[in-house]
Amino acid sequence: PAAKNMIELSRAQDEEVGDGTTSVIILAGEMLSVAEPLLEKKLHPTQIVSGYMRALDDALELLKTMAVPIDLDKPAAVSEIVGAAIGTKFVSRWGS
């Protein structure tokens, strides 16, 4: 069942964003590997998911403290963000 879910996660990521399928699989695989010892200790899956949800809430709060406002009316600022977001992928494929 986990493998089927991983394939569905990858498909959904590709349909929604068009990229990042490898990252989704790696992240999901890591979450499964972290959950395995908890399952062996007889923790219920809903408790494990609850822990993941608490971690998500904590991460989102931390990201809010790190966020920097961007003026969308300034093309240079937007261009810098887009360049940072896609630059590494294109540079790794086609050079600088």
Side-chain angles (χ1 to χ4, degrees), residues 86-96:
I86 65 173
T88 55
K89 185 164 193 126
F90 289 112
V91 168
S92 69
R93 286 187 182 174
W94 294 290
S96 53

Side-chain angles (χ1 to χ4, degrees), residues 2-96:
K4 261 187 171 175
N5 287 336
M6 300 277 278
I7 291 168
E8 187 55 37
L9 279 171
S10 180
R11 184 176 298 128
Q13 176 72 11
D14 189 48
E15 289 173 4
E16 190 71 27
V17 182
D19 192 20
T21 55
T22 303
S23 299
V24 166
I25 295 300
I26 290 170
L27 180 59
E30 185 61 25
M31 291 176 77
L32 287 172
S33 70
V34 169
E36 187 176 17
L38 301 174
L39 291 168
E40 290 171 355
K41 290 180 180 181
K42 306 296 185 210
L43 260 72
H44 195 276
T46 57
Q47 290 178 299
I48 297 169
V49 170
S50 177
Y52 283 140
M53 296 304 292
R54 286 182 60 192
L56 172 63
D57 290 339
D58 290 347
L60 290 173
E61 286 301 314
L62 179 63
L63 288 172
K64 285 179 187 176
T65 67
M66 298 169 61
V68 177
I70 303 298
D71 187 353
L72 297 178
D73 295 324
K74 294 185 178 175
V78 175
S79 180
E80 183 180 345
I81 301 283
V82 171
I86 65 173
T88 55
K89 185 164 193 126
F90 289 112
V91 168
S92 69
R93 286 187 182 174
W94 294 290
S96 53

